[in-house]
Amino acid sequence: MASTSLSHDVFQRSIVQPLLTDLYQITMAYAYWKSDKCSDFAVFDLFFRKNPFSGEFTVFAGLEECLKFLRNFHYSESDILYLKKTLPSVEEEFFIFLSNLTAKDVTLYALPEGSVVFPRVPLIRIEGPLPVVQLLETTLLTLVNYASLVATNAARYRIAAGPNIKLLEFGLRRAQGPDGGLSASKYAYIGGFDGTSNVLAGKLYNIPVSGTHAHAFVMSYNSIDECNIKMLRNRSTGEEENFVDLCIQHQQELSRFLKVLCDEASAGELAAFVSYAIAFPDSFLALIDTYDVMRGKIPSPFALRSGLLNFCAVAMSLNKLGYQAIGVRIDSGDLAYLSKVARETFTKVANQYKLPWFHNLIIVASNDINEDTILSLNEQDHKINCFGIGTHLVTCQKQPALGCVFKLVEVNKQPCIKLSLDVSKVTIPGCKNAYRLYGQDGYALIDLLQQTEEAAPQMGERVLCRHPFQESKRAYVIPTKVESLYQKYWENGKVCCELPTLIDIRQRVKSSLQTLRSDIKRNLNPTPYKVSVSDQLYQFMHNLWLENAPIGELS
């Protein structure tokens, strides 16, 4: 694991570095430096304004990568040379200032990675010298935005599929570049997926990898004569037996039992299955929809007439030699119907030949699946055990960006507020703490933002919770449990607490989602989760708003 971790850190440093930013961050830093504001102490909040995918929750991810970025934050000699060419009018002393910068004077507070989070509640609070923290903005946003979006998307797929269906991420070939593909694999796993087809992600993050052959493998065979290797060792006796002949015998026997003509099954497909089974006798999983046979206007189940017949013949032959097949994958057609045909066939074979394990063969479905597809398949009582999901998961086609923002809320102990005609863009000023209050049913009831000098709410004591912008929306809450949301993760140039493993973060997503009522997590018309401010913060915010808002004049 040490070498894997090292290779990952090298990869991360090669991409996530101080120049992975917008130019205006550097020009602002220069203007701060030029104006002698380097010693100004600033507080920034990183948050989002609206949950993605028309839902009412988000999963926070990307914190570990943010901390690695802080640890490695340093402008190299080549960075400085490039910036000198890009900004020729900038004074030489500024580049000396940049070359000496680290994140040692920065302090970072955040919610634990994998937590369920909601709009306006800062995911990360960063404190430190104004120009330094300003230089972190774009990089931190790019590390959190996509990570949280994919983790949330994956969590929604997990909710739609239920706890017992296996979910595999198959999106590398459709992802936005190799770094997008790796991030998608990592954060889909955090969000609740069971594995990935991405081998490099498996190595870097220790995620289980999974996959079988594609259509090309089946199409590359035309006849059983192309099986150059015919023998397979019997696991019980150790003797080599003619596996090709055994598969042909089982195909003929099964065709009579299932009332399917062998002539209608693809000989090339059988050869491909035989060859793949010889290569992987302990993990034989076959793609069975390469050849679809049509009979008049009604599609004849390919699973019976070719792919499924050939698969069962090979699976029974493996069983004869002491091995067990894994199952089949379907990548086209009516997935609900075909999964039922496959399951019925497996049951018939299991009962006829006294093979109990045949009942439980896995049926994997792929074919451009999205969240709505899974919900529709659920309504059709599908028999699928596993979904392989690619494009819609990794590209987040339903919503391509989360929209996290990085806003200044305090400078030199003076709170700042951004005003806008669009109330949703007005910021909540000052350095804040956040708490999650739980109701009598044990579920999370409301998130509460307070000024840091306020006493924390207490279990069993009434607290006034107010809508940030609507005066009439307020309620007293008597929490049965109070959870302080923020933890200090970075101080004095280093991570100041033990970081969770990927498995720990994945478990936090699961446990955090369990604290929400089902109506908040449902796909259609979910109930909004409430985010509030304390009465003290409400009064302060609106007084500051009035102080900073221009006064009109009528004539």
Side-chain angles (χ1 to χ4, degrees):
M1 288 301 295
S3 60
T4 300
S5 177
L6 178 61
S7 64
H8 175 225
D9 284 349
V10 170
F11 168 79
Q12 205 259 3
R13 282 198 301 273
S14 68
I15 295 178
V16 184
Q17 53 174 289
L19 291 193
L20 186 67
T21 190
D22 297 303
L23 181 62
Y24 75 81
Q25 307 290 7
I26 298 172
T27 58
M28 281 196 295
Y30 175 62
Y32 289 143
W33 176 86
K34 184 80 172 171
S35 302
D36 197 24
K37 290 178 71 67
C38 290
S39 59
D40 284 10
F41 188 84
V43 179
F44 283 79
D45 285 346
L46 189 155
F47 62 96
F48 61 93
R49 298 188 178 104
K50 186 177 180 181
N51 287 304
F53 312 119
S54 301
E56 290 297 341
F57 72 87
T58 301
V59 174
F60 172 42
L63 176 60
E64 181 184 10
E65 299 303 321
C66 291
L67 296 172
K68 288 178 180 177
F69 170 59
L70 293 182
R71 184 180 65 198
N72 300 320
F73 183 79
H74 175 69
Y75 290 91
S76 67
E77 290 183 14
S78 64
D79 293 341
I80 298 299
L81 288 173
Y82 173 76
L83 289 175
K84 285 180 178 180
K85 294 177 183 177
T86 306
L87 300 169
S89 63
V90 168
E91 297 176 38
E92 177 68 26
E93 287 79 3
F94 175 68
F95 296 114
I96 296 172
F97 166 76
L98 282 186
S99 65
N100 291 322
L101 274 189
T102 67
K104 65 180 178 62
D105 296 322
V106 171
T107 303
L108 183 147
Y109 298 83
L111 284 86
E113 187 165 6
S115 297
V116 173
V117 291
F118 303 97
R120 295 195 171 279
V121 177
L123 312 179
I124 297 174
R125 185 176 85 224
I126 309 175
E127 305 172 357
L130 177 58
V132 180
V133 181
Q134 187 73 71
L135 287 166
L136 303 175
E137 175 179 357
T138 300
T139 315
L140 294 179
L141 285 172
T142 198
L143 291 173
V144 170
N145 261 313
Y146 183 65
S148 299
L149 189 71
V150 172
T152 305
N153 204 19
R156 291 177 63 88
Y157 276 98
R158 170 49 69 197
I159 291 170
N164 300 319
I165 299 292
K166 192 172 185 180
L167 295 177
L168 300 175
E169 178 268 313
F170 283 178
L172 178 59
R173 63 186 61 193
R174 305 288 172 79
Q176 284 92 341
D179 48 334
L182 282 170
S183 294
S185 298
K186 176 180 180 179
Y187 295 113
Y189 183 64
I190 283 175
F193 273 58
D194 298 289
T196 179
S197 63
N198 186 340
V199 181
L200 182 56
K203 176 188 176 185
L204 294 180
Y205 307 122
N206 201 30
I207 300 172
V209 291
S210 184
T212 184
H213 61 80
H215 295 287
F217 184 81
V218 179
M219 295 165 63
S220 70
Y221 288 83
N222 292 305
S223 74
I224 200 70
D225 295 333
E226 295 180 29
C227 293
N228 296 320
I229 299 176
K230 295 179 168 49
M231 309 301 288
L232 181 62
R233 183 179 64 83
N234 187 308
R235 173 167 274 170
S236 301
T237 66
E239 296 180 3
E240 296 282 331
E241 298 192 28
N242 192 314
F243 187 64
V244 173
D245 288 348
L246 193 58
C247 289
I248 293 173
Q249 292 169 17
H250 277 119
Q251 186 202 50
Q252 293 170 348
E253 182 180 348
L254 283 167
S255 71
R256 293 189 293 270
F257 168 61
L258 297 173
K259 297 181 175 57
V260 178
L261 297 176
C262 286
D263 291 345
E264 292 186 338
S266 167
E269 182 182 62
L270 177 62
F273 289 179
V274 168
S275 298
Y276 200 77
I278 288 174
F280 299 99
D282 288 307
S283 55
F284 176 56
L285 192 148
L287 177 61
I288 61 171
D289 67 346
T290 304
Y291 300 105
D292 196 355
V293 182
M294 302 293 290
R295 291 292 178 270
K297 294 182 179 180
I298 302 174
S300 178
F302 70 91
L304 277 176
R305 296 193 176 275
S306 186
L308 198 51
L309 173 64
N310 285 334
F311 167 78
C312 289
V314 175
M316 289 183 64
S317 301
L318 285 171
N319 179 73
K320 189 79 172 178
L321 300 185
Y323 305 93
Q324 278 192 11
I326 301 297
V328 298
R329 177 162 74 97
I330 306 168
D331 192 50
S332 63
D334 187 332
L335 298 180
Y337 169 66
L338 295 173
S339 71
K340 292 176 184 178
V341 170
R343 185 63 66 204
E344 289 170 4
T345 303
F346 295 157
T347 299
K348 288 179 183 178
V349 173
N351 293 336
Q352 176 69 16
Y353 295 97
K354 304 297 188 292
L355 299 173
W357 59 271
F358 231 87
H359 284 286
N360 302 317
L361 283 168
I362 291 174
I363 300 173
V364 181
S366 36
N367 190 28
D368 210 25
I369 291 168
N370 60 31
E371 185 182 348
D372 292 334
T373 305
I374 295 176
L375 294 170
S376 175
L377 288 168
N378 291 342
E379 293 175 354
Q380 299 173 66
D381 193 29
H382 70 83
K383 304 302 177 185
I384 297 164
N385 304 99
C386 174
F387 289 106
I389 303 171
T391 305
H392 292 275
L393 172 66
V394 304
T395 65
C396 299
Q397 285 190 350
K398 198 171 181 179
Q399 180 174 325
L402 175 57
C404 282
V405 293
F406 192 83
K407 297 300 180 182
L408 179 67
V409 294
E410 187 175 289
V411 178
N412 296 330
K413 304 297 183 180
Q414 296 299 312
C416 307
I417 186 169
K418 176 197 171 186
L419 300 183
S420 172
L421 293 176
D422 183 352
V423 174
S424 68
K425 292 191 174 182
V426 175
T427 59
I428 300 176
C431 193
K432 300 171 288 293
N433 285 327
Y435 301 91
R436 186 157 295 169
L437 311 184
Y438 290 77
Q440 292 182 349
D441 56 7
Y443 290 114
L445 185 63
I446 194 168
D447 279 12
L448 175 66
L449 294 174
Q450 294 187 166
Q451 293 182 300
T452 52
E453 64 267 22
E454 292 186 68
Q458 298 298 311
M459 181 179 68
E461 295 185 7
R462 193 171 70 164
V463 56
L464 179 59
C465 298
R466 305 196 63 167
H467 188 285
F469 305 111
Q470 297 184 32
E471 187 173 11
S472 63
K473 287 191 174 182
R474 52 188 179 170
Y476 284 110
V477 176
I478 302 176
T480 59
K481 174 185 172 184
V482 176
E483 180 183 3
S484 179
L485 297 182
Y486 293 137
Q487 181 175 340
K488 186 186 293 183
Y489 282 92
W490 179 270
E491 188 177 36
N492 298 323
K494 61 183 179 181
V495 175
C496 55
C497 62
E498 185 175 350
L499 295 181
T501 65
L502 209 62
I503 296 294
D504 294 333
I505 298 170
R506 174 182 161 88
Q507 181 57 42
R508 173 170 281 277
V509 173
K510 182 178 179 180
S511 60
S512 191
L513 283 168
Q514 288 173 346
T515 67
L516 300 185
R517 299 192 315 269
S518 59
D519 58 302
I520 295 172
K521 297 180 286 188
R522 67 190 175 204
N523 175 268
L524 184 63
N525 297 324
T527 303
Y529 181 86
K530 296 177 177 62
V531 172
S532 64
V533 297
S534 67
D535 186 57
Q536 179 173 314
L537 178 55
Y538 178 88
Q539 300 296 343
F540 175 80
M541 176 173 63
H542 285 266
N543 288 336
L544 189 65
W545 191 339
L546 289 174
E547 289 175 10
N548 285 271
I551 300 174
E553 182 176 333
L554 300 177
S555 60

